[in-house]
Amino acid sequence: MELWIPITIAAAFLQNLRSALQKQLQGSLGTRGASFVRFGYGFPLAILYVLALHWLGGLPLPAFNWSFALWSVIGGLAQIFATMMLVYLFSLRNFAVGTAYSKTEPVQAAFFGFVLLGEKPSPGAIVAIIVGVAGVMLISLSRAPLSWRNAFAALTARSSLIGIASGGVFGISAVAYRSASLSLDGPGPIMNAAVTLACVTTFQTAFMLIWMGWRDPPEIAQVLKSWRSSALVGVSGVLGSACWFTAMSLQQVAYVRALGQIELVFTFTASYFLFRERVSPAELAGCLLIVGGIFGLLFW
């Protein structure tokens, strides 16, 4: 098995955990605060990760360049605004639909990867990505009768448009992070990804602190007061990001993000086995399509 596959699966699991924790924080901290904790409580761990690879692992630090700085800033800003859109979805009634549409990211990431990096997924991979996204769409419509009218209404709903925009901006950030990591002259993808993560999360923390200090200073105090729950978001977020960055240093973004759709399978598995919640036939069919798309991606 190629290394990027288990790393991506771990990233999807940790992302699912982080999203659940952020959903709980959104009500008390607001959109900016709940978005900030992902970076603010995560960047010290990202820096420690780099130092551990350097001092304990014996890996030299890479040489920095302006291309790395530019892609890191683009990726960092894109991820901030994509995260804020996703956190805002938590406050909407049809959150599930919007979140599902944000999972169209693999298709959008494939497009941005082709435009910005010239990466061309194989025909089989393109089919697998489309099958997986079709599964996501089926899940998003599972609570309403399947019809063209309901599909159009779901697609044009406010939460759906925000979800699609979030997926697109996440796609841009993923491509930017891969570009930043590949631009480093370092010892290998693991150290390159770790340095990219440390630099990006540090920049994001500084940017968000300045923004919150300007727009809503009391929000910073709220973030500090909720340090216990916020730290959990930061830890799960930075561990997940470390896995994402490493996987995207090893493989094309479209492939990594397509496999990352397994997050929805984790969500419905936990819903059924842990919380004893019923899963509709449409949701089950959607999960099977996602799994089918993942298997197609891995074996075609």
Side-chain angles (χ1 to χ4, degrees), residues 149-289:
R149 182 176 181 178
N150 287 337
F152 179 78
L155 180 63
T156 56
R158 183 185 182 189
S159 63
S160 301
L161 296 176
I162 294 174
I164 292 171
S166 174
V169 181
F170 270 128
I172 292 173
S173 72
V175 172
Y177 290 152
R178 175 167 168 81
S179 300
S181 182
L182 294 178
S183 70
L184 288 174
D185 183 15
I190 293 179
M191 176 57 94
N192 289 357
V195 169
T196 303
L197 174 63
C199 292
V200 166
T201 51
T202 302
F203 162 73
Q204 290 170 322
T205 300
F207 179 86
M208 291 289 288
L209 279 175
I210 294 171
W211 188 11
M212 290 193 298
W214 172 50
R215 296 298 300 270
D216 191 5
E219 199 165 24
I220 298 177
Q222 286 297 110
V223 168
L224 294 175
K225 288 180 182 178
S226 65
W227 67 269
R228 289 183 178 85
S229 51
S230 296
L232 291 176
V233 174
V235 170
S236 59
V238 78
L239 291 176
S241 294
C243 292
W244 284 125
F245 280 43
T246 304
M248 289 186 293
S249 295
L250 296 168
Q251 182 56 272
Q252 292 184 34
V253 173
Y255 288 68
V256 173
R257 287 309 196 183
L259 178 56
Q261 288 177 324
I262 198 173
E263 177 189 354
L264 284 178
V265 178
F266 290 149
T267 299
F268 281 102
T269 301
S271 175
Y272 182 78
F273 288 104
L274 296 181
F275 303 112
R276 304 301 180 185
E277 297 173 344
R278 294 185 61 186
V279 178
S280 70
E283 289 170 335
L284 179 60
C287 285
L288 291 176
L289 280 174

Side-chain angles (χ1 to χ4, degrees), residues 15 18 22 33-43 79 82-83 86 170 201 205 230 233-235 237-238 241 244 257:
Q15 179 168 292
R18 188 210 70 225
Q22 276 184 304
S35 302
F36 168 77
V37 295
R38 172 181 181 177
F39 316 116
Y41 284 92
F43 86 93
Q79 189 178 33
T83 300
L86 189 60
F170 270 128
T201 51
T205 300
S230 296
V233 174
V235 170
V238 78
S241 294
W244 284 125
R257 287 309 196 183

Side-chain angles (χ1 to χ4, degrees), residues 1-9 246-247 249-252 255-256 259 297-300:
M1 180 184 293
E2 296 183 50
L3 184 59
W4 71 274
I5 295 174
I7 292 176
T8 301
I9 293 173
T246 304
S249 295
L250 296 168
Q251 182 56 272
Q252 292 184 34
Y255 288 68
V256 173
L259 178 56
L297 181 73
L298 297 181
F299 296 110
W300 279 350

